[in-house]
Amino acid sequence: MKITDLPVEGYERVIEASDPVTGLHAFIAVHNTTLGPSLGGLRVWKYADREAALWDVLRLARGMTYKSAVAATGLGGGKAVIIMPPHGKTPELYRAMGRVIDALGGTYITAEDVGTSIADLEEVRKTTKHVTGLSRESGGSGNPSPYTARGVFLGIKASLKAVYGNDSTAGRHVAIKGAGAVARTLIDLLVAEGARVTVCDVAEAPLVMVTSKHPEVTVVPPAAIFDVDCDVFSPCALGAILDDATIPRLRAKIVAGAANNQLKEPRHADMLAARGILYAPDYVINAGGIINISCETGPGGYSEARSLAKIARIPEALTEIYAIAARDGVTTAVAADRLAEAILAKAKSGKTMSAAT
Ligand code: NAD
């Protein structure tokens, strides 16, 4: 195994690891540990080349710092990526990755991500203890989706309050793109409070799961979801769906959903604002999952009560962001970054002061 440090400005540590025995070629980026050890998922992807993998790990690690700062998880931001070997994923590959993670001595803690399942994480766990998001049976916090959904539901309520002065979803119409794991719990919560729900999916099975439980939910084809006359448009499928073509079609007053990286480009936040649509920054409203995972690292191990109490503060973070946006005349996306940067700067100056005394 060869581990090389790569100096990257603005990052505490970036390493490249290669192991000819298992075919491992991986990067780990520790972006910032001011607030605690860095946590971020382990992505396995068919990257075009080394540079594409490095670019991705840097971008994602930085995003985790911001997400954890606003969500007050007590963690920093990091990420790991493995370039998919030609022979595909193997248990040996994940065990080798565990050894690389272990070499960082706990400054990076890994978790599930695109390309890595819970079963894969169990392999990583064999060679390092710095793994989160394992099943409840293995002492982990289990499936994060219901917690992400709860945070999105509360975030929708905070956004309704900001726009209409009332946070109830009763009688409000929510159009949801995607009927996956997060969306289905979100629909349960919305229907229970009396909201009207329209949903779409590219697959039939998740829609059947929704309509068999909630026959009152309306299903539309995926191409029609952007045109639904509703109060809230909730992206809960893939990212990069808010762009030049879709934003002009939206008939909602609020965009608030679980998907990561919803804006195709940063300027699309300006486009939403210009149309008078309130955008709940994705990494703030979808933080329920990372909050739940972070509650594994507290004293005494995982606590659901601590997780739910922290998730209940997502509305406060969004309300603060909406206030910053109004005060500074910036988009809510910029305001979220400003809040994260202020939290980090405050923690850093606190650390510097306590080190000096
Ligand atoms: P999932 O895979 O269970 O569900 C996604 C659903 O979207 C699937 O049913 C899929 O068929 C559907 N879909 C894909 N392309 C579509 C399209 N073009 N139009 C309509 N539907 C489409 O995923 P999930 O766990 O529910 O996560 C949903 C989103 O939230 C993802 O972007 C994920 O990255 C993000 N997210 C999830 C969590 C979590 O805890 N699961 C946490 C943070 C963010």
Side-chain angles (χ1 to χ4, degrees):
M1 177 80 71
K2 188 176 161 212
I3 297 179
T4 314
D5 270 275
L6 308 173
V8 180
E9 208 186 317
Y11 289 74
E12 289 181 13
R13 197 162 177 203
V14 181
I15 59 166
E16 179 172 13
S18 52
D19 175 32
V21 179
T22 56
L24 180 75
H25 186 185
F27 294 90
I28 299 178
V30 176
H31 176 250
N32 192 304
T33 60
T34 305
L35 298 168
S38 71
L39 189 144
L42 168 55
R43 183 163 292 194
V44 182
W45 193 251
K46 285 183 183 170
Y47 290 105
D49 52 30
R50 178 187 174 277
E51 278 60 42
L54 180 58
W55 181 82
D56 209 29
V57 80
L58 295 178
R59 163 185 89 88
L60 293 166
R62 186 175 175 279
M64 288 308 297
T65 297
Y66 280 61
K67 184 171 189 162
S68 257
V70 175
T73 60
L75 294 165
K79 200 82 187 181
V81 304
I82 296 177
I83 301 174
M84 179 77 85
H87 59 269
K89 308 187 315 177
T90 58
E92 293 75 29
L93 186 80
Y94 279 104
R95 290 201 294 273
M97 189 63 189
R99 288 195 289 278
V100 181
I101 293 166
D102 212 56
L104 291 174
T107 53
Y108 167 70
I109 303 170
T110 201
E112 202 180 344
D113 201 81
V114 177
T116 298
S117 66
I118 299 286
D120 298 328
L121 283 186
E122 298 281 1
E123 290 300 324
V124 178
R125 182 72 184 83
K126 289 177 182 168
T127 48
T128 181
K129 65 176 194 296
H130 305 298
V131 180
T132 53
L134 295 177
S135 65
R136 293 262 167 105
E137 300 78 61
S138 303
S141 55
N143 177 8
S145 305
Y147 300 92
T148 302
R150 174 157 292 276
V152 173
F153 176 67
L154 296 176
I156 287 175
K157 288 169 76 66
S159 306
L160 286 169
K161 174 99 178 161
V163 170
Y164 298 107
N166 180 337
D167 81 347
S168 176
T169 60
R172 295 289 174 200
H173 186 183
V174 183
I176 306 178
K177 184 170 170 65
V182 175
R184 289 198 297 277
T185 304
L186 174 62
I187 292 170
D188 291 343
L189 295 166
L190 288 167
V191 169
E193 205 180 70
R196 194 175 139 209
V197 175
T198 298
V199 69
C200 75
D201 202 293
V202 289
E204 189 61 27
L207 291 172
V208 171
M209 287 165 87
V210 171
T211 52
S212 57
K213 197 168 177 188
H214 304 294
E216 67 275 43
V217 167
T218 306
V219 173
V220 296
I225 198 78
F226 295 104
D227 308 308
V228 174
D229 190 0
C230 59
D231 299 295
V232 181
F233 175 70
S234 185
C236 290
L238 304 180
I241 54 134
L242 298 167
D243 60 22
D244 292 346
T246 58
I247 293 173
R249 288 167 58 190
L250 293 178
R251 300 173 74 188
K253 279 266 170 238
I254 295 165
V255 171
N260 284 313
N261 306 314
Q262 294 168 24
L263 303 167
K264 185 152 189 205
E265 295 170 35
R267 68 183 175 86
H268 290 115
D270 299 283
M271 208 167 159
L272 284 168
R275 283 213 53 213
I277 299 171
L278 181 68
Y279 168 62
D282 45 18
Y283 72 78
V284 180
I285 192 170
N286 75 10
I290 183 90
I291 290 172
N292 194 53
I293 287 172
S294 75
C295 290
E296 283 180 29
T297 56
Y302 176 68
S303 151
E304 186 179 51
R306 202 165 61 236
S307 169
L308 292 174
K310 274 196 173 181
I311 290 168
R313 298 182 64 186
I314 287 178
E316 278 171 44
L318 285 172
T319 305
E320 191 173 352
I321 286 162
Y322 297 155
I324 293 169
R327 183 196 69 198
D328 295 358
V330 295
T331 66
T332 53
V334 168
D337 287 356
R338 285 191 183 173
L339 177 61
E341 283 155 11
I343 291 166
L344 287 162
K346 194 172 163 206
K348 201 169 177 189
S349 74
K351 273 191 174 177
T352 314
M353 277 172 69
S354 59
T357 51

